[in-house]
Amino acid sequence: MDRKSGVLMPISSLYGDYSIGSFGTSAREFVDFLAECGFSYWQVLPFCMADDCNSPYQSYSTFAGNPYFVDLELLKEKGLITNDELISQRQQQPYSVEYVRLYHTRLSFLRQVSKRVAYRNKIEEFINENPYIEQFSKFMALKEANGEKVWREWETDEYSMESFFMWSFIQYEFFSQWEKIKNYANSKGIKIIGDVPIYVSLESSDVWANKELFMLDRNLLPKLVAGVPPDYFCEEGQLWGNPIYDWDKMRQTDFSWWTDRIAHSFKLFDGVRIDHFRGLESFWAVPYGEKTAKNGKWLKGPGMELIKKINGLFSDKLIIAEDLGEITPQVEMLVEESKYPGMRVIQFGFLNDCDNPHMPHNYKNNCVAYTGTHDNNTLLGYLWELDASNKKRLLEYCNYHSGDFEKGIDSIIRTMFASHAGLVILPIQDILGYGSDTRINIPGKPDGNWQFRITKEQLQSIDKNKFRCYNELYKRV
């Protein structure tokens, strides 16, 4: 890999005036910030709709976009929103995503806006060219027609064309607005890395329209659900609850649903991270109805059979394997054979006194090194919680010997930049030096996640010259 660096910044965390980040001015200004700092990549989290816990890893569709990311000011420029209406949508505070307010107001507002659209032919053309988005829009219209019940309990297959059009309009604007942001980023030398959650939600158009591709029983409930076994971070494991793929049926279709999904991702992004990549080698399957993930078992995934299909179509693209968690020699072999760069997280390197792949001296060029992911504490929060002996070892490793360990973050970041890793990614919180109150997600915790936002003033407070210097000094420009 070429030596480069980037920043992990979810769209939801961007600043703005309307309760959540969007594809508006702040996205362009963030691209400018990256370019001025000498960064080459912007990594985002999944673009799909979030669930009731605000997680984008459980969504109504893995193909459709989050309506909340549609920028309202751009709709006003099209004459679809009045100035007074725009003012009515202003947020109450800028420091966290206002999910409750969005949930109660944003979709009903966009429904009214959709009734004013004059370019219906463009939207119909977009829907005709994107069958998975059409499935999603139909799914959402049917869900409304059936009183928001889960699809297994639907009683009617008739739906409102007004509702179908609203969802089609939202998706058209979502993809149109993002295309302009991506083109702007690419023009500035910035590439976008997206995120592909390995699993989909049971309550999704993905399962509803492709039931045969999932392990469902005669009542259309999952036979098995996804999760991970107990580990250092969670003694009961993590019970995600997603339905398990029927990989035999996937093979019979030549893995077309998966290759369509990756192709769709590469329309949005320059590179993608496949979440929970180890699940393609073998996955933890838990009987439906279990309360924890303890009583699961490992089952074999499609392995190189699927990877070869993906590589045959996208061999020139950046695909990152999220090879974290319980990693076996078989998983390591799959990552090696796939040729995908794996992930290294410095926080995992100093949890004990053992030598391991997450210590920077072990980074190889074909890897992406992180100070932390969206599931980790911030670097400062991690340092606060690390026991004294390992904290001392980490800071000495990074050639920092002062008593004020908060200032040691720069030394850790410089160690990452100096490493052999081809790509280094820093979450925006670590660039800002923020603590654990700004972390994105705590796995296994059902509420209080996915809310972090920055302000424009906070972004402007970052010393861009410092990061430009690091990128130049360590040959990452």
Side-chain angles (χ1 to χ4, degrees), residues 43-92:
Q43 182 170 343
V44 296
L45 293 182
F47 271 10
C48 41
M49 290 181 70
D51 67 2
D52 291 341
C53 296
N54 308 322
S55 169
Y57 290 90
Q58 293 270 12
S59 180
Y60 288 134
S61 170
T62 190
F63 290 88
N66 189 332
Y68 300 158
F69 293 171
V70 172
D71 187 71
L72 300 184
E73 292 184 347
L74 292 176
L75 296 183
K76 180 179 179 294
E77 289 178 12
K78 285 188 169 185
L80 295 173
I81 296 176
T82 68
N83 191 58
D84 287 344
E85 286 174 328
L86 195 62
I87 292 172
S88 75
Q89 295 297 307
R90 283 187 177 272
Q91 63 207 16
Q92 296 171 343

Side-chain angles (χ1 to χ4, degrees), residues 75-288:
L75 296 183
K76 180 179 179 294
E77 289 178 12
K78 285 188 169 185
L80 295 173
I81 296 176
T82 68
N83 191 58
D84 287 344
E85 286 174 328
L86 195 62
I87 292 172
S88 75
Q89 295 297 307
R90 283 187 177 272
Q91 63 207 16
Q92 296 171 343
Q93 53 79 28
Y95 302 108
S96 64
V97 179
E98 297 178 333
Y99 281 113
V100 174
R101 186 163 186 260
L102 288 165
Y103 178 80
H104 287 291
T105 63
R106 186 57 56 87
L107 289 178
S108 59
F109 179 64
L110 290 175
R111 181 185 296 274
Q112 292 302 116
V113 174
S114 71
K115 296 175 182 178
R116 306 166 185 170
V117 171
Y119 47 94
R120 300 178 77 94
N121 289 343
K122 289 184 178 181
I123 295 172
E124 290 171 5
E125 182 180 347
F126 166 78
I127 289 297
N128 290 335
E129 293 173 352
N130 293 275
Y132 289 103
I133 303 301
E134 182 178 20
Q135 282 180 2
F136 165 76
S137 296
K138 184 177 179 181
F139 174 85
M140 297 303 288
L142 278 167
K143 190 170 178 64
E144 179 183 300
N146 284 277
E148 302 300 328
K149 293 179 180 177
V150 296
W151 61 261
R152 300 181 308 282
E153 299 176 4
W154 288 355
E155 297 173 352
T156 180
D157 59 0
E158 296 182 0
Y159 57 90
S160 161
M161 288 306 297
E162 178 187 283
S163 179
F164 175 81
F165 181 78
M166 176 197 76
W167 286 104
S168 301
F169 156 72
I170 289 171
Q171 294 305 307
Y172 172 82
E173 287 296 334
F174 178 97
F175 288 99
S176 299
Q177 289 185 8
W178 173 249
E179 182 180 20
K180 292 175 182 176
I181 295 298
K182 181 180 180 297
N183 289 342
Y184 181 74
N186 291 165
S187 75
K188 292 279 190 173
I190 305 299
K191 294 181 178 180
I192 313 290
I193 299 173
D195 198 292
V196 178
I198 187 171
Y199 293 118
V200 300
S201 172
L202 175 63
E203 186 59 15
S204 67
S205 59
D206 307 302
V207 180
W208 167 73
N210 303 278
K211 303 176 189 68
E212 70 283 358
L213 299 180
F214 298 84
M215 296 182 67
L216 307 178
D217 65 18
R218 65 179 62 186
N219 297 316
L220 300 177
L221 289 168
K223 297 176 183 177
L224 299 166
V225 295
V228 291
D231 60 16
Y232 174 88
F233 299 99
C234 189
E235 62 181 17
E236 293 188 338
Q238 296 177 41
L239 186 62
W240 299 334
N242 310 78
I244 296 295
Y245 298 112
D246 188 329
W247 287 114
D248 288 336
K249 293 289 177 60
M250 288 278 188
R251 288 185 182 91
Q252 293 172 19
T253 64
D254 209 26
F255 299 102
S256 60
W257 183 88
W258 259 94
T259 53
D260 285 350
R261 190 182 182 197
I262 300 299
H264 176 77
S265 296
F266 279 121
K267 289 181 181 178
L268 292 167
F269 311 114
D270 301 294
V272 297
R273 185 196 81 126
I274 298 181
D275 167 63
H276 197 59
F277 183 83
R278 69 102 56 242
L280 299 183
E281 191 283 320
S282 57
F283 53 91
W284 190 248
V286 183
Y288 180 72

Side-chain angles (χ1 to χ4, degrees), residues 380 383-384 391 395 400 402-409 412:
L380 179 59
L383 281 172
W384 269 106
K391 185 186 301 182
L395 293 173
Y400 183 78
S402 171
D404 185 0
F405 72 83
E406 292 184 22
K407 296 180 180 178
I409 289 177
I412 297 172

